[in-house]
Amino acid sequence: MSVTRAALVIVVAVVVAIVMGGGDVSTIAEDARAFVAHVKSFERGGGDARRRSAPVTRMDAPPMMDSKDMSTTKTKTMMAGKRGSRALKAELAPDQSALVDYCALGAGPGGIQLATYLTRELHGSPSVVVLEKRDVAGSFFAKFPVHRKLISINKRAFTKKQSNLDFQMRHDWNSLIDPEDWPDRFTGDDNGPHTSRARLLMQNYSTEYYPHADDLARYLDDFATQKLDGHVSYDTEVLSIDKEYAAKAEVTTKTPGDGKIFVVKTSKGTWRCNNVISATGLHAPKQLPEHLQHPKIIGYEELSDDPSMFEGKRVGIFGAGNAAFEVASTISKVSAHCDVMATSEIRFAHQTHYPGALRLPNSAFLDQYLLKSLDSFYQYGRGDAPPSMTISEGFGGLVMHFSQDTEVQKIIASGVEEDCRSIDGCFYYDYLIRAVGWYFDTSVFGRSATPNLEKPGQVTRRGGKYPAMTSQYESENVPGLYFAGAVAHALDFGKSAGGFIHGFRYTSRALARHLNVQNHGGEWPMEIMGDIAQTFDVALKRINTASSLYQMYGALSDIILIDNVGKRNASGFADRSEDALRGARYFIDVPLKMVQDGHFSFNADDVSGRFSKCNAHIVTITLEFGENFHGRYVLDHATRDASGRILSDDEDREDLFLHPVLRLYRCVMKRKRMTLTPKALLYTSHLEEDLATDWTSPDEHQRVLFDFLGRAHDAAGGDVAAHDFDR
């Protein structure tokens, strides 16, 4: 590029930015000069080839807006406006006498999401600080996954019928949510001037269905900067966390039940916090069993995205999950031989409906193995590799063998590599890689604040992976210590999507709402129903559009509390002789386990959620897969049952694919709290599965829903003549 052309580009960039309200001229000119340098590098053949087709945009704007979005005044403002400040607010600085209400650990997606709701939805504007070790938010994704391709979907195209914003979030597995940018919380409709597809979404950062991890890292940092202005302390490493008794004058409703506060010492000073919320994720690499440990084994966390060091080498990989197969699929393209060695059976996501199980984008290696390449897969069965297996150095690399096999030991001692054969129990590798997952690291917690870890079988088979927590996301043994993000997945591990952004954006929101009720006298989002017809309309809309119920299937639920006729409800409707659902309370996105354990307040006058009596019925609305919809025959579910037996033409097919499930319970009191028990279940109704997730058929869906609500109405003592289906 000539000097004249470069100058022209700078002038044009400055003029365009000023016209769009770009602000400071020196900043714009600096951006323009950076752009010129960027173009020059490509003209010289430099730069990242993968990025050459990506549009160049200013760092303070969500890139890749389409022309329709770009025409709006709001979008122009977003594109031209400056990013929020990264400087911490003075009142949140460390080493102050004042307590911080909530100290969140980690500015990854979980910490960012939680803090966004803590700063927006909680009553009384509590103080919130996020402590981040790195100089940017979302730094985990600057390194992981190692080979940079995400397996979280980024769907960008929808039909006109699928225009509901909340529905579209069902197919966006990367974006975070903000109540100030969010549509109507009950319907998902874009009702306010502040709601727009121009809000921060991952689809504005990547056009790829499975995005590059760099794009997610950039998105998360932008989100934190724009949404958490002044609430994040960057470059702040937490050194220790302990508890001490609060002074009498410091005790408030936000003080934990043990009367103790947290003392968080960091590289920048000390924060004293009423509550600590760990959103650090599972970041400590899990180690191999002791008999398989060797100092020359490479950890997944030590790998780079360049596999060239493995070219022409023999590589062994320990693991059976996405990390192991991600590595194998990449390395096997250049290695001479690659083995994956698993200590448990492979669980495929498409067979279990669990997104944490092995995903097909990572399982290409199995094709290579089963189609007779030189790559292999070994499974040792359930449990660890045989204790008699060990690893020794030999032939310039590492040899895996049985420790008592003297013949193999002689082969290793001879140095004759050709005599080392797998059929004889001698496995030689140039490199061995450990990719067996992560666990929750408690090393920064002092004795007074260390959370217990889950016991074997409590969450995972071996235990020790997650902290033990209550249905309120609180540590079982440390009051005031909560968990958000991937760590909170302990409550739905292997069952739902809480370990991933598209799931924990909703569980993090649920935690914030629980804290609002418990510590600030707030209420859980709820609407009072006018009659059975309105209840039907709201439920039908939520079933067809709510992303929270869709992503956290079986874990989050809509709850309808129906007072029995003759009992005055919270809205003061005394005469309910005609319609039992008049005055019913419709709660959204409630953690089902919280209700089952009796820890949901139902917005009772008593913040503890205690009731003197329980003259009510409770409806739960969830999305669930069929109980038998798993295993190798999931793709044949229209013709076979779970065992593989072919179904006859006259047999009824179960509703196996994701579908709405409605349950009616008689209210039960447990320690003066309303709860749900299996014995109190009165009736269950399944709306027929629809592969397009369109549950609006007048006969198959709407009538079933209305009839179910009619049963609930009748059970609560309403007038049977008060409801009739005429939609």
Side-chain angles (χ1 to χ4, degrees):
M1 178 181 285
S2 68
V3 175
T4 303
R5 287 175 62 200
L8 179 60
V9 169
I10 293 175
V11 171
V12 171
V14 171
V15 171
V16 170
I18 292 175
V19 169
M20 292 185 67
D24 185 79
V25 174
S26 62
T27 301
I28 297 167
E30 183 179 346
D31 288 346
R33 283 191 290 270
F35 170 69
V36 171
H38 185 71
V39 172
K40 282 183 176 180
S41 71
F42 283 138
E43 289 186 343
R44 292 192 300 267
D48 183 351
R50 189 192 65 80
R51 286 285 183 253
R52 292 182 190 178
S53 61
V56 178
T57 59
R58 290 190 51 186
M59 285 299 293
D60 58 358
M64 295 166 42
M65 300 289 183
D66 62 32
S67 58
K68 181 179 179 181
D69 284 334
M70 284 294 293
S71 66
T72 66
T73 302
K74 173 181 173 57
T75 303
K76 289 181 180 179
T77 302
M78 289 182 65
M79 295 291 286
K82 292 184 178 181
R83 300 175 68 182
S85 170
R86 295 177 73 90
L88 188 65
K89 292 182 177 180
E91 62 269 25
L92 295 176
D95 302 321
Q96 299 192 60
S97 58
L99 288 170
V100 175
D101 293 322
Y102 300 99
C103 293
L105 311 181
I112 297 169
Q113 185 62 87
L114 174 76
T116 300
Y117 271 82
L118 289 177
T119 55
R120 284 157 170 73
E121 282 205 343
L122 270 61
H123 290 188
S125 301
S127 52
V128 178
V129 65
V130 181
L131 307 178
E132 169 54 43
K133 182 178 181 179
R134 309 298 180 189
D135 62 350
V136 294
S139 60
F140 178 88
F141 293 98
K143 167 69 176 174
F144 302 108
V146 168
H147 297 104
R148 315 309 294 136
K149 180 66 72 173
L150 299 175
I151 54 174
S152 48
I153 66 174
N154 179 43
K155 187 172 178 61
R156 304 175 73 245
F158 298 92
T159 67
K160 184 177 181 180
K161 187 177 181 180
Q162 299 164 340
S163 61
N164 180 277
L165 302 184
D166 206 5
F167 175 88
Q168 293 180 3
M169 289 296 285
R170 290 181 168 188
H171 309 283
D172 178 340
W173 287 18
N174 301 285
S175 296
L176 300 179
I177 52 179
D178 177 355
E180 294 183 358
D181 290 345
W182 200 236
D184 183 281
R185 65 186 181 185
F186 270 79
T187 66
D189 292 329
D190 190 355
N191 293 331
H194 58 287
T195 56
S196 168
R197 289 299 283 175
R199 69 186 189 277
L200 275 173
L201 291 172
M202 183 61 182
Q203 66 172 245
N204 295 323
Y205 286 71
S206 174
T207 60
E208 297 179 60
Y209 193 75
Y210 294 116
H212 192 279
D214 287 349
D215 293 327
L216 180 58
R218 183 165 56 97
Y219 165 77
L220 293 172
D221 192 44
D222 279 359
F223 192 99
T225 303
Q226 294 190 28
K227 303 296 186 179
L228 296 176
D229 184 4
H231 286 276
V232 183
S233 179
Y234 294 97
D235 291 309
T236 305
E237 181 178 4
V238 175
L239 304 176
S240 67
I241 302 174
D242 287 285
K243 297 201 78 175
E244 66 180 22
Y245 280 103
K248 187 175 181 179
E250 293 177 323
V251 176
T252 68
T253 58
K254 292 164 281 190
T255 307
D258 60 357
K260 295 180 179 180
I261 61 170
F262 293 87
V263 179
V264 182
K265 295 182 179 180
T266 77
S267 57
K268 284 193 173 180
T270 300
W271 276 269
R272 299 172 70 245
C273 316
N274 273 314
N275 300 274
V276 165
I277 305 170
S278 178
T280 57
L282 306 175
H283 63 278
K286 187 178 178 182
Q287 301 300 313
L288 291 168
E290 187 174 350
H291 61 281
L292 289 179
Q293 293 181 12
H294 192 282
K296 289 191 176 181
I297 292 178
I298 303 171
Y300 174 80
E301 70 282 1
E302 300 174 279
L303 294 172
S304 77
D305 61 352
D306 180 5
S308 59
M309 67 178 286
F310 303 107
E311 187 162 355
K313 304 297 183 181
R314 281 171 288 194
V315 182
I317 302 168
F318 291 104
N322 281 298
F325 279 93
E326 168 213 328
V327 172
S329 295
T330 300
I331 288 178
S332 62
K333 293 180 175 66
V334 299
S335 64
H337 183 93
C338 189
D339 289 341
V340 172
M341 296 168 283
T343 60
S344 60
E345 182 180 357
I346 293 178
R347 299 175 68 237
F348 290 99
H350 72 276
Q351 292 181 346
T352 61
H353 322 297
Y354 174 54
L358 182 59
R359 301 284 302 285
L360 290 180
N362 281 333
S363 59
F365 177 86
L366 292 175
D367 261 7
Q368 298 160 208
Y369 160 53
L370 293 170
L371 295 177
K372 305 182 295 299
S373 76
L374 291 175
D375 303 314
S376 302
F377 171 73
Y378 294 92
Q379 181 181 319
Y380 293 106
R382 295 185 64 83
D384 294 328
S388 56
M389 294 292 286
T390 190
I391 295 172
S392 303
E393 294 186 42
F395 317 121
L398 296 173
V399 181
M400 187 172 174
H401 62 97
F402 291 97
S403 58
Q404 303 302 319
D405 192 332
T406 57
E407 291 301 317
V408 172
Q409 292 174 5
K410 290 179 181 178
I411 293 172
I412 296 173
S414 73
V416 182
E417 179 187 324
E418 289 76 10
D419 291 341
C420 180
R421 301 179 180 89
S422 59
I423 197 169
D424 297 322
C426 183
F427 301 86
Y428 164 63
Y429 300 100
D430 295 291
Y431 296 101
L432 282 174
I433 297 171
R434 165 184 44 78
V436 292
W438 313 81
Y439 68 94
F440 182 73
D441 185 4
T442 62
S443 60
V444 299
F445 293 92
R447 179 179 296 182
S448 61
T450 301
N452 292 337
L453 297 180
E454 42 112 3
K455 299 176 182 177
Q458 185 176 356
V459 177
T460 61
R461 181 163 55 90
R462 295 186 178 95
K465 183 180 180 73
Y466 290 94
M469 66 186 72
T470 70
S471 57
Q472 300 143 289
Y473 307 101
E474 186 175 16
S475 168
E476 285 187 351
N477 66 302
V478 183
L481 174 60
Y482 295 88
F483 305 100
V487 186
H489 188 36
L491 295 183
D492 64 284
F493 177 78
K495 302 172 184 176
S496 197
F500 314 90
I501 292 176
H502 62 290
F504 66 62
R505 63 190 177 205
Y506 301 112
T507 59
S508 297
R509 180 174 68 183
L511 171 57
R513 288 173 171 174
H514 167 70
L515 293 172
N516 188 36
V517 172
Q518 174 181 274
N519 295 345
H520 303 274
E523 292 190 341
W524 199 276
M526 174 198 73
E527 280 194 6
I528 302 293
M529 297 292 99
D531 53 25
I532 191 172
Q534 183 189 5
T535 309
F536 169 86
D537 288 339
V538 172
L540 185 66
K541 186 79 172 185
R542 292 276 302 165
I543 284 169
N544 280 282
T545 61
S547 176
S548 48
L549 302 181
Y550 188 88
Q551 304 291 21
M552 290 303 297
Y553 46 88
L556 292 183
S557 174
D558 281 2
I559 304 288
I560 307 174
L561 179 63
I562 309 170
D563 288 336
N564 293 338
V565 168
K567 299 298 179 183
R568 188 176 182 87
N569 73 0
S571 294
F573 291 110
D575 180 11
R576 299 180 51 200
S577 59
E578 292 187 356
D579 193 332
L581 278 98
R582 181 170 181 253
R585 284 161 279 186
Y586 195 116
F587 300 89
I588 61 170
D589 302 334
V590 180
L592 192 56
K593 186 170 174 53
M594 194 180 290
V595 184
Q596 293 167 339
D597 289 352
H599 293 303
F600 185 65
S601 74
F602 289 94
N603 290 354
D605 292 336
D606 180 354
V607 72
S608 68
R610 289 181 169 83
F611 293 78
S612 58
K613 295 181 180 180
C614 190
N615 295 298
H617 284 74
I618 298 173
V619 168
T620 65
I621 301 176
T622 55
L623 296 183
E624 301 175 20
F625 288 99
E627 291 183 5
N628 297 316
F629 191 40
H630 56 81
R632 60 179 296 188
Y633 295 107
V634 291
L635 296 179
D636 303 311
H637 73 278
T639 58
R640 297 175 183 266
D641 65 14
S643 68
R645 181 181 63 85
I646 298 177
L647 300 172
S648 63
D649 292 338
D650 57 350
E651 282 188 87
D652 289 334
R653 268 69 170 170
E654 293 182 73
D655 292 306
L656 297 176
F657 207 75
L658 192 68
H659 64 281
V661 181
L662 318 170
R663 294 183 175 90
L664 174 64
Y665 292 86
R666 173 177 48 83
C667 180
V668 174
M669 299 299 292
K670 185 178 181 181
R671 295 188 296 274
K672 293 188 176 182
R673 295 175 182 270
M674 286 195 287
T675 185
L676 304 176
T677 65
K679 290 184 178 180
L681 178 62
L682 301 177
Y683 181 67
T684 301
S685 182
H686 295 255
L687 269 61
E688 186 171 332
E689 65 181 29
D690 183 89
L691 299 187
T693 63
D694 179 0
W695 296 290
T696 59
S697 166
D699 293 327
E700 303 299 335
H701 303 128
Q702 295 192 44
R703 178 171 291 280
V704 175
L705 172 59
F706 200 87
D707 287 348
F708 173 85
L709 293 176
R711 280 179 175 261
H713 165 279
D714 297 344
D719 186 347
V720 176
H723 64 86
D724 187 25
F725 183 81
D726 184 19
R727 308 302 294 173

